Every structure is written in structure tokens, then in C-alpha cells.
Amino acid sequence: GGAEHTRIRRAVVEAIECDPVFSRENQYFQSQNERYEAAVRKAVHLQKKMHEMGWTENGPEFKYIYRTLSGDIAFLLHHIFMRSISVLGSDKQIAKWIPLATRYQLIGSYAQTELGHGTYLQGLETTAVFDITTQEFILNTPKISAMKWWPGDMGRSATHTVVFAQLYVHGKCYGVHPFIVQIRSLQDHSLCPGITAGDIGPKMNFEHVDNGYLMLQNVRVPRENMLNKFCEVQPDGTYVRRGSQKINYFTMTTVRISLVSDEVIIPLMKACTIAIRYSVVRRQSKLKPGEEEAKILDYQTQQEKLLPQLAAAYAFHFISDYLQELFNRGYGEIQRKNFDMLPELHAFSSGFKAMITHYCTSAVEICLRACGGHGYSLLSGLPSLYTKILASCIYEGENTILLLQTARFLIKCFMAASAGQPSVTYLAAVKPGKCPAKNKLDFLSPDIYTEAYQHMAARLISSTAAKLQDLIQSGVKKHDAWNQCTVQLVQAAKAHCHYITVKNFAETVEKLKTQAGIQKIMKHLCDLFALHGIFSNAGLFLHDGYISGAQMDMVTASYLDLLAVIRKDAVPLVDAFDFTDKSLNSALGCYDGQVYQRLYEWAQKSPTNKQMSPAYERYLKPLLHNTPSKL
Amino acid sequence: GGAEHTRIRRAVVEAIECDPVFSRENQYFQSQNERYEAAVRKAVHLQKKMHEMGWTENGPEFKYIYRTLSGDIAFLLHHIFMRSISVLGSDKQIAKWIPLATRYQLIGSYAQTELGHGTYLQGLETTAVFDITTQEFILNTPKISAMKWWPGDMGRSATHTVVFAQLYVHGKCYGVHPFIVQIRSLQDHSLCPGITAGDIGPKMNFEHVDNGYLMLQNVRVPRENMLNKFCEVQPDGTYVRRGSQKINYFTMTTVRISLVSDEVIIPLMKACTIAIRYSVVRRQSKLKPGEEEAKILDYQTQQEKLLPQLAAAYAFHFISDYLQELFNRGYGEIQRKNFDMLPELHAFSSGFKAMITHYCTSAVEICLRACGGHGYSLLSGLPSLYTKILASCIYEGENTILLLQTARFLIKCFMAASAGQPSVTYLAAVKPGKCPAKNKLDFLSPDIYTEAYQHMAARLISSTAAKLQDLIQSGVKKHDAWNQCTVQLVQAAKAHCHYITVKNFAETVEKLKTQAGIQKIMKHLCDLFALHGIFSNAGLFLHDGYISGAQMDMVTASYLDLLAVIRKDAVPLVDAFDFTDKSLNSALGCYDGQVYQRLYEWAQKSPTNKQMSPAYERYLKPLLHNTPSKL
């Protein structure tokens, strides 16, 4: 992001890391309760710190604060609460609630998901019935599956939340709408009348977040508490809509785009840093007899595990910038009440969220496994990166469902052929053909591989569209036909996103012309990312003969050659991510290579080593009591 | 395993599950310390229970005890300690140590892995120097990377361990040998002189195991403490070897084979049970407009996630029986000092351990993700199954290294062509060819797909062997050439194991002729397992045109058809694994389908819901203190 951003980032990192309140030193030894309390402490302290440092929520420092804290902080849903009011609330609502929230005079949450209902929002069961006599909405949880479940900051912290509920006026259902509801007393934090709420218990990660449950029993909120920028219930019960109903989902769209960079790509970068640094310290077996044991990164198999993940981290970093730009443009249009870009934004944010979270989760797992036993120790930092990133495959839309939404958009564009959106015009030009590569070096040409990805994506989309039409023409009902194609539709949506990522990486590299040194190594990474994808999904490229078996051997050869080339720059490439030891919080990823000393030091701090276990007196001693003292 | 085994198993399950000491009710809420103490308590109680019930370690009940306890028990390494003495110890050593261990007059462990050294045993750095004057071995940890690290039961419990160390006699190194070493006092459990030991801290799972570290400083053990069935240091320092040196690794070979069934296949079966039961309770979105929301297992994408994992659980169950039989034969030979089968046993145990653990780990992760957010809650039981099975990819030999050992064996057999071992004779008959299938039904013929796997495995092995030879002939040094082929060698070894698994599944189904109903559904699962493998690894089959693009479309069609067929029997197929609710310990996998009620009930028991958090008084109250009481 340039020298100025780096300066700001490093200043933030320094200010936070030298402050003991933000220490993550004991993170791997803490219980869920301790993690939650630390997260609240940090969140509260952060307010002071920001004031002290002159940082603001809209300032350039903000994203670096979050990065430096590794997300290990409370009240993140408070920001989603604010964002949903900013996007969905009227000017009057914004004027009332945003200042209160900004000053933390209330703590907000965002209550959408229910115990029985996730990504399919239309299925939500919580009800909000308009009572014309009191000008209030009456909110209820009609059955157990309608209980709100998972909202962050809600289990113990929040005083308010945005509840998504089915709106009923005069007995008619108008679908899901958002309502601001107070859940805890501002005096003593006790639950408000009609509210049942608490913490949903232990999870794979996010121990620091009080994900909560919430039941509502005849909870009344004033008419003004329905967020009403885009639709409103008037005092007489008239329902008025302004703009698309889909705008309700827009908060999720924006969240999906920002989570990709903050919650997904950064963990992958950290995992690569840890695993690659460890792989030049760890030695195992001999490459040549008589020599000392080799660094494990000198083994082709280890390179093949880690270097494609490093390339992916860069690929996704660049595509995330591209998505952010696309989103900024779209958001501008929506502010002007032009909703034309909504379908494309929704399709893109869904597909890329799913593709990138899935890819990065596997990538972090590969990094973890590539560190052998030590990767399995929490002290390596890798298990917590993995268990955290895994959640991103599920929250803010389950990946399979998201990919199917992207597929629906692609099929629609394909059917409309030339009338498609600019990003998918390639679908209009599907034709059979053969890859023109003649030798392995040809596969280092971005034109060659980008074309191959384009061909493959277009083929999957067109052949699935054809299957769909065949089924419908043969008399299968439309919905059954769709269901029978979904495995292939998912494949097609992934292929589309993969293609766009490769294309964007190649174009980004092209633009680096002024920085020859960086361009050269980025070109290698781009080639590696692209060829790894062909090598790992060979069937998709071989299927119609676009790439022949002999050409696939060339791909494999170039791919394996690249590993040895990039191996040389692997350490500087992870150093470029510029994580401090503290932010990695890993005994394996340290700069100084003192991995074993650090593992030993950290292990000694474990509560399991604090004293002799009571298990000895209780169980072992009686067991061993009649053993002869000398064996 | 037949009616009699089922009766014994159920009796064991009942006896254990009705005993409150063995309860796993609070498992998901406990700290590492609490888990360890519970595991010790259970292990000690189990001794009494076994005595009470008349169960013995060699009886038919034993494996069911372990299964019922879900491995959540201490002193498992005590059994490995005993096994290594039984395999590697002389009759005299067995007579001395086994009775002591059987009566728990000592607690044993197995100290092989070091901080800096894992699967490459020759690299171990701990030393054992023979002192002829005192007739003792002097054991030392020369540097930090030589510290023993990971041995289970060693961090807090063990009094003794088998230490693997480089043997030196008269200054000459004879390689790695096993020594029995006492590490803790039998009086008060304090560390013995020269011993530093403790717990290595938190891990992704195995909180109940006190994986430990151990440093030795001039620790002396008598000459008789070197396990000496196969080699011995005589009083004058003469070193005598009887049989193969490789026998030292044989304990690991046996452990690898038993861990596949106990630690890998059972977790997968449980994960399938939980995810499939949940998928017929959970409803989401509508398949047909106007109908109620559909069970998620009725979606093709959900079937495609879960049913291949179910088929894999059966496939691996059958191959595990096959391996156990192969091993029993081999072990008989070794007892008769015939070591001919060792290379094959080693290659098989390595390759299948790696292939099956890798496959099952991914499979459990798929089950977890397929349950959406609730799969991510510890209360689902899936996170702990996943984090536990993941370890199996690393322990008892890192998978990549194991696969390369299998590959080395395969390449050797291939080079020797007809002289190969019976299990790999197919390698002698590699020839080009085309798959004869004409329509999608042909791909439901085991001959067709088994042949395809065989062809594919043979092609990968032969083409990699050819690449290796080409490199060597072009002047690349042998070790470099090997390294440059390792990515493909790993692929070849996996392909071999995959082929044998498919073949064995098909043969097992064939033998079920007398049970037509079971045979029919097993045939479907076998077909699914095989076609899923072709669909997911399409490139390997398309590469040389053995399967054409058009045939791959037939594979895909048959594969997707099978999903809908097996969907109907999915619930009985997991019920056949016969896990009780208690042994699943999952809020999602319950028989009665009361998933949401159970999640809510369990969540309320979480320590995070025990009282108002001190974080309120300390942080939230001051933050909210100037909020107007009514907003």
C-alpha cells in the first residue's frame, strides 16, 4: 500500500504492541471466560487509546488497529450494529442512534441468524406484529427454532441489538425487516422484561466473543425502531417501500467484502510466515548422503505444500483490492438510489467470499500440517489461525449456498448472452478450441494460462446451462432440474471466481512495470498460482481436450520448476507481509530462528506445569503404593 | 463383526455408559487440567471395572472398551510401553517388566520423538554411552533439539519410559536403540536425579493427555535395560545383532495398523452419524415453491458432501480388516525370525496409514462444515472429532514421508517387474489402453472401475519411474533426482493405496452373496466410493485418454444418480455403526431429533453462563455510566 501506509501501520503496531493491556502473551492458556474478559478489557482500553493517539474510526489507522489486535477484541458486532443503522436507517434514526453508539452509551449487536435458520433469511421465524393502538411492534420468538443464536457480543455484553423479524401488519406478512431492540438494562445490565438471553457456550475458536442466544416474549418497541430508510410502516398501518427489498441484505454484502481482507487473507499470510520461517529452521533427513540434515523447505514436497499457499495469499490480496474498488463504486450508486449494480455486487461478494474462504482455510490447514507435530501445538499459533479461518466458510452466508447464488447469476448472464454485465462478457464467446502451448515455457505466458482458465470456466457454465435446459425440456420440473445440477453449478461458480482471480493477478503484475525487481518475483508467484490451479484441477482442463495430456506434463514440469525458483525468495516474500513476532504470537515463526528454545520456554508457562497435579495424590499414589521402591 | 461381537460390544457399552465415573457430559467445558485429571480417574477406575466385569486386556471386550470411552483415558502410552517390551525385549526382560506393568506397579511411556527430530529416526540426538566399568549406559540430552518432546503420559504421569537413543560403545555409534529408564520416584513421584520433565502445554486436542518433555543428564541405567531381543551389548562391550535392524521400527508398524481402525475410522463413522442425522432434521430453503422448507439432505450438494464420506467409512473399515490380516500373518513370520515380509508390511502400513488418515481427516472436516454454524459449536461433537483425527496425519510418521517410503517400495517392485510381491504384480502388466465403458451403467461394474484405478496407479508409478531414470541418465545425482520426483511419487503412492482400497471393497461386496439385502446397498456404496474417486481426481484418469471426456460425463452422471439412491438408506447406514447418544456426545447427532432443544439445554450448562461476568462491573458499567436510562 505504499510508504505512507506502511509508516502509519508501523506506528499503530508499535503503539499497540508496547501497551501491556493489549498483550496476547497468555492467549493459548486461557479459558473461554478469561478470553472474553480480556477482549472486553481491550475494547474498553482501545477507546482511551484512540482518544490519546488521535485515531478515529474513519481514519487510516483503523484497519491497522484491528490487524494488530488480531481481531482479539470485543464489540465487533457493535460496528455491524452501527453499519446496519447507517445503511438501513433513515436520517432521523441515524441522528439518534449513531452518536449514542459512537460514544458507547449503548452496546449494539446484530441478531439475524436463528437456531433453525441461517443463510435462508426468508425462513426466519421471529415475528414483529404492528399494534396500531399503541404504535408499537410486538416482537416474539414463536418456537425454539426461532431463537436468535450466534450473534456476537450478545451473550453477555450488548444492551441493544438489531433484530430481524417477519413484519406483520393487519395480519399480512411483509417479510423480514430490522428492528432496534433493547435487551439489557442500562442501569444494572439485567435482562429487560420479556428477554431471555445468554452465551451459546464453547466453540472451535472465538472464545473471546460472547456469541449469544435471545428469546423475545411480547417485547414492544416503538414504531420508530424499525429501520426505515427503504420501507416504513406509517401510523395508520400503511406499508410503504422505497427501493429494492434486496437492500436489506446489503449490510451482509459489505461485510462479506471486508471480511475477506481482514479475517481471511491476513490469517493466511500469518500462517505462511510461520510455516515458511519454520521450514528454513527445521532440518530433517538428508538430501545427500554424508551432508547434514536438510532444511525441510529444500524438499520438493514441502515447497509444493507451502509455496502455492504463499502465491495464493498474494493473489487474494490483489483480488480483494479489486473487489473493494468494485464495491465502492456500487455503494456510491446505491447512495444515489441506483440499484442496478446490486445483483452483480451480490453475486461477486458471494462467490468470492465462498471461494476465497474455502481456499484460504485449506491453505492454512496445509501450513499447519506442514509443520508436523509442532504445528499441532497451540504454541505454534497455527491451530488458532485455522480454527478461526474455518468459521469464515460458514458465517455471513454458508459457502455452498453463496456459490449457488453466484451460479444463478452466471447462468442468467449466459442465457442473456451478449446482454451480460461487463465482468462476464467472456461467456458470450464460448467456443471449442485447443491450447496453443508447444512447450513448458509457453505455460509461463499469462495469455496462455488466463485463456485456459477462461475456456474452462466458460465450458463449465455453458455445459451446466445445457444440462439444465435438457432436463427441463425432458419434463423435469424447474426446481428439481436445478437441484440435479447443483454439484456442477457450484463447480462452475468456483471456476469463474478462480478465472477472475488469475486474470486480475496477471493484470496487476503487468502494471508493476516500473518496479522491475518486484514485478519479476510477482510474475513467478502469479505463474505459480495459475499453474498450481491447473495441476490440482487437471480434469477440468483435460476434459474437452483444450489441454492435452502432453501439455499437462508441460504444466507439471513448469509448475515444479517454479517451486525451486521461488524457494530462493520464500523468506523475503513472507517478510514482506511485515508481521512482528508479537502479532504472529508463534513459537515457530520467530525472526531469530530460536524455535526450540521458545517452545520450551512457552511450554513451561502452561498451567499444566504450575504444580503437581492433584491426580497424583488421588489416583496415582494409591495405584503405585505397593510397588517395590527399587526395580 | 457378527452377532456375537455385537452382543459383547453392547454389553461393554452398557456397563461403561451406566457408570458415572466414565461420563463425558462435561467434556466440552473442561480445561486441559480438568481433562487430564478425568482421564487419570477413568484409567484407574477402569482397572477396577475390568476386574469386576472379568474383562482382560487380551479378551474380546478390550477393543470395545476403548471405543466406548472414545479414547478419553490416560495411560495409552503405558500399553505402547508394554508392546515395545513384548516385541523388542528378551524373554527375561519380558518376564521382569510385563508383570509389573500389567499390575500398574509402574506407569510406562514411550520416548522416541525429539524436539528437533520426528519421523527420521536416524537423526535422533539423545545418546546412550556404554560404561564398561559399571556395566551401565549413560544417557544424555546433548542439546535442546535432542529433548524428548510429545511422548504421551510422560508430562505428569509416567514413572518409566522407553528412551530411544544413539548407542555408543567404545566411541563407536551403533545407531538408535531402546532403553528402559525410570524418570520419577516410586515413593513420591518426584523427578529422578538427572531428569527434567514436564508437560508441553496446550494442543488442538488431546487435552486429556499429558504429552511431555524430557531431558536426561548423565542418567545411568544398568546394561540389562537395553531391550535386547534383536541386539545386545555384552559385558565386554561386544555388540551382537540378531535379525534385521529394521525390527526397531516394528512397534511403529503395528501401532500404525491399529490406529487406523481405532483412531481414524471410528471418528469418521461418528462424524457421518452426526452430520447425516442432523441433515434429516435441519430444514433450509424450499426445494419446491409453496412446500415447507426441505431437509438439507435432500439437496444434491449436501448429499455430495456427506454420502461419499459414508462410503469411505465403509471402504476403510474393510481395508482395515484386510491390513489387520496381512499384519497378523507377517507378525507370525517375524516371531519365527523370518523377516521377508517386513518391507511389504512397512510399505503397506505406511502408505495406508497416510492415505486413510488424510482422507478421513478431510472427510470429518467436510462433515463439520456440512452442519453449518452448529457444526462449529463444540456441543456438536464435530470439532473435537476433527481436531483429534487431524493429529493422526502427523503422529506415528508424518504422512508425506510415509508415502515416500511406500513409493520407494513401489518403484523398487516396478523395476524388479515380475519379481514383485504378490500385492503389486499388477505393476508388471502396465499397458496403454482405453476404458471399454459405453454408457453410464457400465461404470457401475466393479471390473470397469477397478481396472481404471489399476491402470491409473500403474501409469503414475511407471511414468514417475521413467522420469527418475531419465533424470539420472541425464546426469542428475540420484538424490537430487529423487527429490525432483517426490511430488509425483507421493501421488503415485496414494494412487496405489486408493486402487487397493477400491479393489478390496469390490471383493468384499462380492463375498456378501448370501446376504442379498446387505450386498445390494454395499454395492451402491462401493460404486459411490469408486466413482467419487474418479470424479474428484478426473485429471489422473483423463490424462492418457484411458477415460475420455465423454466417459467422464458418464462417470459424473452415474455418480450423481447414486447420491439420490443412497440418500434413501443414509440413516439406516449410519445407524448400522451402532453408536449410542452418549458415545457420540453430540447435540446434533441425537436419535430423537430434538437438536435445538438439546443445543439450548447444553449451552445453558456452559461456565460462561454460570454468573454475571466480572467484566460488567469492571469495564462495561463504567463505560455505560452516563447513558440516559431511557433512549
Side-chain angles (χ1 to χ4, degrees):
Chain A
E4 177 59 10
H5 278 278
T6 303
R7 195 194 56 74
I8 296 174
R9 177 166 48 73
R10 290 191 178 165
V12 168
V13 168
E14 207 197 314
I16 289 180
E17 292 193 345
C18 75
D19 187 330
V21 178
F22 294 122
S23 165
R24 294 162 66 224
E25 205 187 319
N26 292 314
Q27 181 188 347
Y28 304 126
F29 304 127
Q30 289 173 328
S31 70
Q32 194 181 357
N33 269 331
E34 290 163 341
R35 291 291 301 279
Y36 164 70
E37 279 157 31
V40 171
R41 185 178 68 237
K42 288 182 197 178
V44 171
H45 186 67
L46 181 62
Q47 302 314 311
K48 281 190 214 136
K49 190 88 184 176
M50 287 180 67
H51 187 73
E52 203 181 296
M53 303 293 295
W55 299 336
T56 66
E57 301 231 347
N58 304 314
E61 296 88 359
F62 199 69
K63 67 175 169 173
Y64 300 125
I65 296 171
Y66 183 76
R67 175 181 147 133
T68 310
L69 293 167
S70 299
D72 214 5
I73 188 165
F75 307 156
L76 295 179
L77 269 287
H78 185 69
H79 298 281
I80 309 281
F81 174 83
M82 289 169 73
R83 199 187 303 194
S84 63
I85 293 173
S86 308
V87 173
L88 304 175
S90 64
D91 292 345
K92 200 172 150 196
Q93 290 172 322
I94 292 172
K96 173 175 178 184
W97 295 101
I98 297 298
L100 286 164
T102 306
R103 292 193 300 264
Y104 281 88
Q105 293 184 300
L106 57 80
I107 297 165
S109 174
Y110 181 89
Q112 179 177 299
T113 301
E114 295 176 357
L115 196 38
H117 306 277
T119 306
Y120 181 68
L121 294 192
Q122 290 157 267
L124 293 178
E125 293 180 289
T126 303
T127 57
V129 177
F130 185 58
D131 179 350
I132 198 162
T133 57
T134 61
Q135 293 288 302
E136 289 171 320
F137 295 103
I138 310 167
L139 283 95
N140 270 294
T141 301
K143 48 180 166 156
I144 192 162
S145 54
M147 196 188 305
K148 296 293 174 187
W149 195 268
W150 281 108
D153 294 333
M154 198 175 75
R156 312 210 214 173
S157 299
T159 61
H160 287 70
T161 188
V162 172
V163 171
F164 283 78
Q166 302 285 356
L167 168 66
Y168 285 85
V169 185
H170 296 318
K172 184 178 166 191
C173 180
Y174 289 88
V176 173
H177 287 72
F179 302 84
I180 297 177
V181 179
Q182 180 172 352
I183 60 172
R184 286 190 177 87
S185 155
L186 290 160
Q187 264 53 58
D188 63 3
H189 217 61
S190 61
L191 293 170
C192 293
I195 299 288
T196 305
D199 187 286
I200 64 165
K203 301 144 292 187
M204 276 188 100
N205 196 319
F206 293 90
E207 298 98 335
H208 63 289
V209 179
D210 53 323
N211 294 93
Y213 58 80
L214 171 71
M215 275 193 289
L216 303 144
Q217 211 174 0
N218 292 319
V219 173
R220 289 173 170 265
V221 300
R223 191 178 63 88
E224 295 74 26
N225 277 26
M226 183 173 110
L227 293 178
N228 61 11
K229 179 170 189 175
F230 298 101
C231 45
E232 190 181 11
V233 176
Q234 293 179 336
D236 65 350
T238 309
Y239 179 83
V240 182
R241 170 165 301 148
R242 315 184 192 93
S244 165
Q245 194 185 6
K246 295 207 168 126
I247 196 69
N248 276 331
Y249 311 147
F250 192 67
T251 309
M252 278 300 103
T253 305
T254 75
V255 170
R256 265 175 218 138
I257 287 178
S258 58
L259 86 86
V260 162
S261 66
D262 301 346
E263 309 287 355
V264 180
I265 300 172
I266 289 179
L268 174 57
M269 288 174 168
K270 285 186 180 177
C272 287
T273 306
I274 295 169
I276 288 174
R277 286 200 188 141
Y278 175 65
S279 297
V280 295
V281 170
R282 175 73 173 193
R283 291 172 177 274
Q284 176 148 311
S285 302
K286 297 183 181 184
L287 262 173
K288 285 166 202 163
E291 289 192 353
E292 79 173 314
E293 290 190 48
K295 294 177 179 180
I296 57 176
L297 197 56
D298 289 326
Y299 290 95
Q300 190 189 49
T301 46
Q302 187 76 354
Q303 293 164 7
E304 210 258 333
K305 286 177 194 172
L306 297 178
L307 302 183
Q309 316 320 324
L310 177 63
Y314 279 96
F316 294 138
H317 173 71
F318 295 131
I319 196 75
S320 161
D321 284 353
Y322 166 88
L323 291 171
Q324 194 60 57
E325 216 172 276
L326 188 78
F327 164 79
N328 289 343
R329 250 189 300 137
Y331 190 62
E333 292 299 317
I334 286 162
Q335 295 293 82
R336 287 187 286 278
K337 299 252 164 96
N338 168 9
F339 301 106
D340 292 354
M341 276 182 78
L342 260 187
E344 188 177 3
L345 282 180
H346 179 69
F348 266 62
S349 78
S350 302
F352 279 100
K353 183 271 185 185
M355 192 271 260
I356 298 174
T357 56
H358 179 84
Y359 201 119
C360 292
T361 301
S362 306
V364 171
E365 197 200 25
I366 290 169
C367 292
L368 186 153
R369 290 198 207 181
C371 295
H374 297 324
Y376 192 77
S377 165
L378 294 199
L379 307 180
S380 73
L382 291 164
S384 60
L385 289 172
Y386 172 74
T387 52
K388 194 167 186 187
I389 199 172
L390 174 65
S392 71
C393 296
I394 302 161
Y395 62 60
E396 317 311 358
E398 193 278 328
N399 279 353
T400 303
I401 297 174
L402 293 182
L403 286 167
L404 287 173
Q405 294 182 2
T406 307
R408 201 177 280 281
F409 172 79
L410 292 171
I411 295 283
K412 217 181 264 177
C413 292
F414 176 76
M415 298 298 197
S418 55
Q421 312 263 2
S423 54
V424 291
T425 43
Y426 76 95
L427 291 176
V430 189
K431 47 179 187 277
K434 303 269 177 208
C435 171
K438 302 247 180 306
N439 57 55
K440 69 176 182 177
L441 295 179
D442 287 347
F443 278 104
L444 302 178
S445 153
D447 288 346
I448 295 280
Y449 55 68
T450 306
E451 189 92 7
Y453 273 92
Q454 183 188 95
H455 177 88
M456 183 271 298
R459 179 181 68 75
L460 286 175
I461 296 162
S462 66
S463 69
T464 313
K467 177 178 167 184
L468 197 58
Q469 282 191 308
D470 284 355
L471 283 169
I472 293 169
Q473 275 165 14
S474 74
V476 178
K477 289 206 185 108
K478 221 170 160 180
H479 290 86
D480 286 331
W482 178 262
N483 191 26
Q484 287 173 38
C485 292
T486 45
V487 166
Q488 286 148 306
L489 286 163
V490 165
Q491 214 174 27
K494 274 189 207 161
H496 167 76
C497 296
H498 206 159
Y499 158 54
I500 301 290
T501 308
V502 167
K503 183 163 161 269
N504 179 68
F505 200 164
E507 287 167 0
T508 307
V509 170
E510 187 61 25
K511 285 183 210 136
L512 290 171
K513 273 203 176 117
T514 51
Q515 298 155 284
I518 295 179
Q519 190 186 37
K520 191 176 162 200
I521 180 68
M522 286 298 142
K523 167 75 167 55
H524 288 321
L525 287 174
C526 179
D527 295 348
L528 184 71
F529 180 74
L531 298 188
H532 170 72
I534 301 177
F535 176 76
S536 318
N537 301 284
L540 300 180
F541 296 87
L542 289 165
H543 187 279
D544 64 345
Y546 182 83
I547 287 185
S548 68
Q551 285 173 321
M552 195 53 76
D553 289 337
M554 299 171 199
V555 167
T556 306
S558 268
Y559 168 58
L560 297 176
D561 288 348
L562 274 169
L563 295 176
V565 171
I566 296 171
R567 156 68 183 97
K568 297 191 192 79
D569 295 306
V571 173
L573 280 166
V574 298
D575 287 347
F577 297 145
D578 202 19
F579 291 114
T580 61
D581 265 3
K582 276 194 182 166
S583 98
L584 292 175
N585 203 15
S586 163
L588 299 191
C590 44
Y591 266 113
D592 58 13
Q594 301 296 298
V595 164
Y596 301 135
Q597 285 82 342
R598 202 182 286 210
L599 272 170
Y600 180 44
E601 268 167 41
W602 289 18
Q604 286 171 286
K605 292 186 204 161
S606 168
T608 48
N609 281 322
K610 284 284 158 65
Q611 79 237 339
M612 192 173 272
S613 167
Y616 173 66
E617 286 292 332
R618 271 187 224 147
Y619 308 111
L620 300 181
K621 198 172 168 183
L623 194 68
L624 297 165
H625 80 285
N626 64 347
T627 311
S629 70
K630 181 81 192 143
L631 298 183
Chain B
E4 176 60 10
H5 278 277
T6 303
R7 195 194 57 73
I8 296 173
R9 177 166 48 72
R10 289 191 176 164
V12 168
V13 168
E14 208 197 311
I16 288 180
E17 292 193 345
C18 75
D19 186 330
V21 178
F22 294 120
S23 166
R24 292 162 66 223
E25 206 186 318
N26 293 315
Q27 180 187 346
Y28 304 126
F29 305 127
Q30 288 173 330
S31 69
Q32 194 182 355
N33 269 331
E34 289 163 342
R35 292 291 301 281
Y36 164 71
E37 279 157 31
V40 171
R41 184 177 69 238
K42 288 181 196 178
V44 171
H45 186 67
L46 180 62
Q47 302 315 311
K48 282 191 214 135
K49 191 87 183 178
M50 287 180 66
H51 187 74
E52 202 181 295
M53 303 294 294
W55 298 337
T56 65
E57 302 232 345
N58 304 313
E61 296 89 359
F62 199 68
K63 65 175 171 174
Y64 301 126
I65 295 171
Y66 183 77
R67 175 181 148 133
T68 310
L69 294 168
S70 299
D72 215 4
I73 190 165
F75 308 156
L76 295 179
L77 269 287
H78 183 70
H79 297 282
I80 308 283
F81 173 83
M82 288 169 73
R83 200 186 302 193
S84 61
I85 293 173
S86 307
V87 173
L88 304 176
S90 64
D91 291 345
K92 200 173 150 195
Q93 290 172 323
I94 292 172
K96 171 175 178 183
W97 294 101
I98 296 299
L100 286 165
T102 307
R103 292 192 301 263
Y104 280 87
Q105 293 184 299
L106 57 81
I107 298 165
S109 175
Y110 182 87
Q112 179 178 296
T113 301
E114 295 176 359
L115 195 38
H117 305 277
T119 306
Y120 180 68
L121 294 193
Q122 290 156 266
L124 294 177
E125 294 180 288
T126 303
T127 56
V129 176
F130 185 57
D131 179 351
I132 198 163
T133 58
T134 62
Q135 293 287 303
E136 289 171 319
F137 296 103
I138 310 167
L139 283 96
N140 269 293
T141 302
K143 48 180 168 159
I144 193 162
S145 54
M147 197 188 302
K148 295 293 175 187
W149 196 268
W150 281 110
D153 294 333
M154 199 178 73
R156 313 211 215 171
S157 299
T159 60
H160 287 69
T161 189
V162 172
V163 171
F164 283 77
Q166 302 286 355
L167 168 66
Y168 285 85
V169 184
H170 297 317
K172 184 177 166 190
C173 180
Y174 289 88
V176 172
H177 288 73
F179 301 85
I180 298 176
V181 179
Q182 180 171 352
I183 60 173
R184 285 187 177 89
S185 153
L186 291 160
Q187 262 54 58
D188 63 4
H189 217 58
S190 62
L191 293 170
C192 293
I195 300 287
T196 305
D199 187 287
I200 63 165
K203 301 143 291 185
M204 276 188 100
N205 197 317
F206 293 90
E207 298 98 333
H208 63 289
V209 179
D210 54 324
N211 295 92
Y213 58 82
L214 171 70
M215 274 192 288
L216 303 144
Q217 212 174 357
N218 292 321
V219 173
R220 289 175 169 264
V221 300
R223 192 177 63 88
E224 295 73 28
N225 277 26
M226 183 174 111
L227 294 176
N228 60 11
K229 180 169 188 176
F230 298 101
C231 43
E232 190 180 9
V233 176
Q234 293 179 336
D236 65 350
T238 309
Y239 179 83
V240 182
R241 170 167 298 149
R242 314 184 192 94
S244 166
Q245 194 186 5
K246 296 212 165 119
I247 196 69
N248 276 332
Y249 311 147
F250 192 68
T251 308
M252 279 299 102
T253 305
T254 75
V255 170
R256 267 177 215 136
I257 287 179
S258 59
L259 85 86
V260 162
S261 66
D262 301 346
E263 309 288 354
V264 180
I265 300 172
I266 288 178
L268 174 57
M269 289 175 168
K270 285 186 179 174
C272 287
T273 305
I274 295 169
I276 287 174
R277 285 198 188 143
Y278 175 66
S279 296
V280 296
V281 170
R282 176 73 173 193
R283 291 172 178 274
Q284 175 147 313
S285 304
K286 297 181 180 184
L287 261 174
K288 286 168 201 162
E291 288 192 351
E292 79 173 312
E293 291 188 49
K295 293 177 180 180
I296 56 176
L297 197 57
D298 288 327
Y299 291 96
Q300 190 189 50
T301 46
Q302 188 76 355
Q303 292 165 7
E304 210 258 333
K305 286 177 194 173
L306 297 179
L307 303 183
Q309 316 320 325
L310 178 62
Y314 280 95
F316 294 138
H317 172 72
F318 295 131
I319 196 74
S320 160
D321 285 353
Y322 166 86
L323 289 171
Q324 194 61 57
E325 217 172 276
L326 189 76
F327 164 78
N328 289 342
R329 248 189 304 136
Y331 190 62
E333 292 300 318
I334 286 163
Q335 295 293 84
R336 285 187 287 278
K337 300 250 162 98
N338 168 10
F339 302 107
D340 292 353
M341 276 182 78
L342 260 187
E344 188 177 3
L345 283 179
H346 179 69
F348 266 62
S349 78
S350 302
F352 279 100
K353 182 272 185 185
M355 192 272 261
I356 298 174
T357 56
H358 179 85
Y359 200 118
C360 293
T361 301
S362 306
V364 172
E365 197 200 26
I366 290 169
C367 292
L368 185 154
R369 291 199 205 181
C371 295
H374 297 323
Y376 191 78
S377 165
L378 293 200
L379 307 180
S380 73
L382 291 164
S384 60
L385 289 171
Y386 173 73
T387 52
K388 195 166 184 188
I389 198 172
L390 174 65
S392 71
C393 295
I394 302 161
Y395 62 60
E396 319 309 359
E398 194 278 328
N399 279 353
T400 304
I401 297 174
L402 293 182
L403 286 166
L404 287 173
Q405 294 182 2
T406 307
R408 201 178 279 281
F409 173 79
L410 292 170
I411 295 283
K412 217 182 262 178
C413 292
F414 175 73
M415 298 298 198
S418 56
Q421 312 264 1
S423 53
V424 291
T425 42
Y426 76 95
L427 291 176
V430 189
K431 44 179 187 272
K434 303 268 175 207
C435 171
K438 302 247 178 306
N439 56 54
K440 69 176 182 176
L441 295 179
D442 286 347
F443 278 105
L444 301 178
S445 152
D447 288 346
I448 295 281
Y449 56 68
T450 306
E451 189 93 9
Y453 273 91
Q454 184 189 97
H455 177 88
M456 183 270 297
R459 180 181 68 75
L460 287 175
I461 295 161
S462 66
S463 70
T464 313
K467 178 178 167 185
L468 196 58
Q469 281 190 309
D470 284 353
L471 282 168
I472 293 169
Q473 275 166 14
S474 74
V476 179
K477 289 206 185 104
K478 221 169 160 182
H479 289 86
D480 287 330
W482 179 263
N483 191 25
Q484 288 174 37
C485 291
T486 45
V487 167
Q488 288 149 307
L489 286 163
V490 164
Q491 213 175 29
K494 274 190 206 159
H496 168 76
C497 296
H498 206 159
Y499 158 55
I500 302 289
T501 308
V502 167
K503 183 164 161 265
N504 180 66
F505 200 164
E507 287 167 0
T508 306
V509 170
E510 187 61 24
K511 285 183 211 136
L512 291 170
K513 271 200 177 120
T514 51
Q515 298 155 285
I518 294 180
Q519 189 186 38
K520 191 176 162 200
I521 180 67
M522 286 298 140
K523 168 73 168 58
H524 289 322
L525 288 174
C526 179
D527 294 348
L528 185 70
F529 179 74
L531 297 188
H532 170 72
I534 300 178
F535 176 77
S536 318
N537 300 284
L540 300 180
F541 295 87
L542 289 165
H543 188 280
D544 65 344
Y546 182 84
I547 287 185
S548 69
Q551 285 173 322
M552 195 54 75
D553 289 338
M554 299 169 197
V555 167
T556 305
S558 268
Y559 168 57
L560 296 176
D561 289 349
L562 274 170
L563 295 176
V565 171
I566 297 171
R567 157 68 183 97
K568 298 191 191 78
D569 295 306
V571 174
L573 280 167
V574 297
D575 287 348
F577 297 144
D578 203 19
F579 292 114
T580 62
D581 266 3
K582 277 195 182 165
S583 98
L584 293 175
N585 203 16
S586 163
L588 300 190
C590 44
Y591 265 113
D592 58 13
Q594 301 296 299
V595 164
Y596 300 135
Q597 285 82 342
R598 202 183 286 211
L599 272 171
Y600 180 44
E601 268 167 41
W602 287 19
Q604 286 170 286
K605 291 186 205 161
S606 168
T608 50
N609 281 321
K610 284 284 158 67
Q611 78 237 339
M612 191 173 274
S613 167
Y616 172 66
E617 286 291 333
R618 270 187 226 149
Y619 308 110
L620 300 181
K621 196 172 170 185
L623 194 69
L624 298 165
H625 79 283
N626 63 349
T627 312
S629 69
K630 180 83 191 139
L631 298 184

